[in-house]
Amino acid sequence: MREVAVIGVGNTPFGELWEKSIRDLYVEAALKALDDAGVDRVDALYVGAMSSGMFVDQEHLGALMADYIGNYHIPAVRVESACASGGLAFRQGYMEVASGMSDIVLVGGVEKMTDIEDATFALASAADQDNESYFGATFPALYAMIARAHMHKYGTTRDQLAMVSVKNHKNGALNPDAQFRLPITIETVKKSMIVADPLNILDCSPVTDGGACAILCPLDMASKFKGKPVKIIGSGAATDSIALHSREDITALKAVRLSAERAYQMAGKKPSDIDVAEVHDCFTIAEIVITEELGFAERGKGGPLVESGKTALDGEIPVNTSGGLKAKGHPVGATGIAQIAEIVRQLRGEAGKRQVNNPKVGLAQNMGGSGASSITHILEVV
Amino acid sequence: MSVPSTWRNKKYRYRLEASKCTSCGKAFLPARMVCPECGSKDFEPTVLPDKGKILTYSIVHVGTEQTQFDVPYVIAVIELDNGTRLTTQVVDTGDKEVKIGTPVKLVFRKINIDGKTGVLGYGYKAVLE
């Protein structure tokens, strides 16, 4: 397998982008990434998207995006793993370059979520439709049930859940591309509208339009291009039962743990080696459990971890410096690539006001459904 | 949910007819062809017990347009007495408190009306024991 570098990243601003279509979002992000890398052609492209059929009645995204980046005879692949579609597209593109099949590959993700009124229904298709959604389990409800069980078993507090949101909004305020750039307080979170008890709306990531892209090439070719390379040193993917109720431990996210273990093993790194991380905080409880599964905290101690400030921008292991899904926004298919873009910027020292101090190794973790799929990547400065 | 899907699922939803692995004894709803516990492909039909307890729950205040449930409603993961787990609503709670560990019983109820076809979807919901 060849070593692979990320040589360019780009994304649209995230938000309610009424004037932009799904193809506009992908192409805008792609052009920014191509420009960042300094390449003018690609050998293949990937597009991660969860549910363009339900959101905008458009499938066949591979060909569509190849057409609209003006490179329309290249191989093009759409990848779907619910909210982990972007992370999985990155992994598939990485494998294509590592294998020697292609040299320069565009990997992107996109979602256009605001053309329909009821995004919750489309999102519920990432759960077990026949056996969860049919009976009334919405996505916030599934994570609320994880939260309730975690609070019951480990004593995680309502305030600790809110602290995830407060931290990520504080970071998002420093990110010009974030959907929400306003700091909030624990009280604001707790007084916001109840969605699925114990989760309020400020515990939930928003409905967002956005696109994000990255350019990959073999590491030994990276010096030919202007984009400052960052090396991919670990990639891990894992799955779990689609229905939350089928999992032995409802307070755990086993696919996250397995995807991380596989990525750590490949990279030859351990949790304490990670200097900065982007994780899938689709709901506040998710970040708490994920930080446990990644090994940043012991099992059950994700709540105290966020409370300690260790995951804050100036903490030992800053988590979601971009604002995370919560504040940056969560255009589901784009999220996994946007996480990679943040890690690349942090490792290059290009993260502006949210730059952490001289990071060498970064981790991005992207999750689908209520945790039925997870993709973890580890990147390192060259 | 489409008409064929409603028809296909009726044995699970109306009668709790599950499949039990003949090798490890674990029962699954809906039926599976491969046991995720032991890998066996041999199953026998079984009917699930209707009693169990609440493992975790949420009170849903924002539903979806398509499912048309009156909010707020209680959704829960239920563990039945034989260990099989499922997700459904806890209804008719009155002023009783729903808690983790609360014993429940499954009952046959209407779940929804399909907006396009008008087909009634039935299934199990849980009531407090």
Side-chain angles (χ1 to χ4, degrees), chain A residues 85 90 253 270 333:
Chain A
S85 299
F90 186 83
L253 292 166
K270 52 190 188 302

Side-chain angles (χ1 to χ4, degrees), chain A residues 12-347:
Chain A
T12 67
F14 281 7
E16 294 176 332
L17 308 175
W18 309 109
E19 72 284 5
K20 286 177 183 158
S21 69
I22 190 168
R23 68 189 78 180
D24 297 336
L25 295 169
Y26 185 88
V27 174
E28 180 181 324
L31 294 178
K32 285 178 177 170
L34 288 162
D35 185 55
D36 185 40
V39 304
D40 55 10
R41 64 167 187 92
V42 295
D43 299 326
L45 78 75
Y46 286 78
V47 50
M50 174 189 160
S51 195
S52 57
M54 288 174 86
F55 285 122
V56 293
D57 296 327
Q58 178 70 58
E59 308 290 11
H60 210 171
L61 293 190
L64 173 68
M65 301 313 174
D67 182 358
Y68 273 77
I69 66 160
N71 208 342
Y72 51 80
H73 299 297
I74 58 169
V77 182
R78 183 251 181 100
V79 176
E80 189 271 317
S81 187
C83 306
S85 299
L88 192 58
F90 186 83
R91 179 175 156 89
Q92 297 307 115
Y94 165 56
M95 285 159 57
E96 178 157 341
V97 176
S99 73
M101 188 72 103
S102 295
D103 285 335
I104 303 170
V105 170
L106 166 62
V107 289
V110 69
E111 214 78 55
K112 175 71 195 171
M113 299 174 72
T114 62
D115 277 6
I116 58 168
E117 286 177 19
D118 194 3
T120 305
F121 184 72
L123 292 170
S125 68
D128 185 332
Q129 281 282 44
D130 278 355
N131 305 293
E132 292 181 310
S133 314
Y134 176 79
F135 293 96
T138 60
F139 251 93
L142 292 170
Y143 278 95
M145 290 198 284
I146 295 174
R148 171 106 46 209
H150 202 273
M151 293 163 98
H152 181 80
K153 187 169 178 182
Y154 297 115
T156 305
T157 66
R158 180 68 192 85
D159 280 10
Q160 286 166 345
L161 294 176
M163 285 170 197
V164 172
S165 187
V166 170
K167 168 180 71 71
N168 293 348
H169 270 259
K170 193 174 172 188
N171 294 344
L174 304 175
N175 182 353
D177 290 332
Q179 183 167 7
F180 298 124
R181 295 190 293 274
L182 69 168
I184 55 170
T185 65
I186 290 174
E187 285 310 306
T188 327
V189 177
K190 283 161 48 178
K191 284 179 182 163
S192 65
M193 185 180 81
I194 304 176
V195 175
D197 176 67
L199 300 181
N200 297 57
I201 191 133
L202 287 176
D203 289 287
C204 310
S205 55
V207 168
T208 310
D209 300 326
C213 287
I215 310 293
L216 308 180
C217 81
L219 182 62
D220 61 12
M221 204 182 280
S223 60
K224 292 183 186 172
F225 305 105
K226 88 166 185 212
K228 188 176 174 185
V230 167
K231 191 163 68 161
I232 304 168
I233 57 171
S235 176
T239 52
D240 201 347
S241 67
I242 188 89
L244 175 66
H245 62 235
S246 301
R247 301 188 201 142
E248 190 180 335
D249 184 354
I250 284 168
T251 63
L253 292 166
K254 194 170 184 179
V256 176
R257 177 159 299 249
L258 291 172
S259 74
E261 280 175 1
R262 289 164 189 172
Y264 285 136
Q265 187 180 16
M266 182 175 171
K269 301 287 181 189
K270 52 190 188 302
S272 59
D273 295 326
I274 305 300
D275 300 316
V276 59
E278 288 284 297
V279 310
H280 198 94
D281 60 321
C282 49
F283 298 91
T284 48
I285 182 62
E287 181 171 315
I288 285 177
V289 180
I290 289 165
T291 52
E292 297 170 11
E293 301 294 11
L294 295 178
F296 299 162
E298 285 173 38
R299 170 86 60 211
K301 300 288 187 196
L305 179 73
V306 66
E307 187 166 7
S308 73
K310 285 181 184 167
T311 54
L313 199 51
D314 58 356
E316 263 171 49
I317 167 65
V319 170
N320 284 330
T321 59
S322 68
L325 284 56
K326 176 67 207 73
K328 180 177 80 242
H330 182 29
V332 285
T335 284
I337 307 286
Q339 294 176 321
I340 296 282
E342 177 70 7
I343 294 301
V344 167
R345 288 174 184 132
Q346 288 286 359
L347 295 180

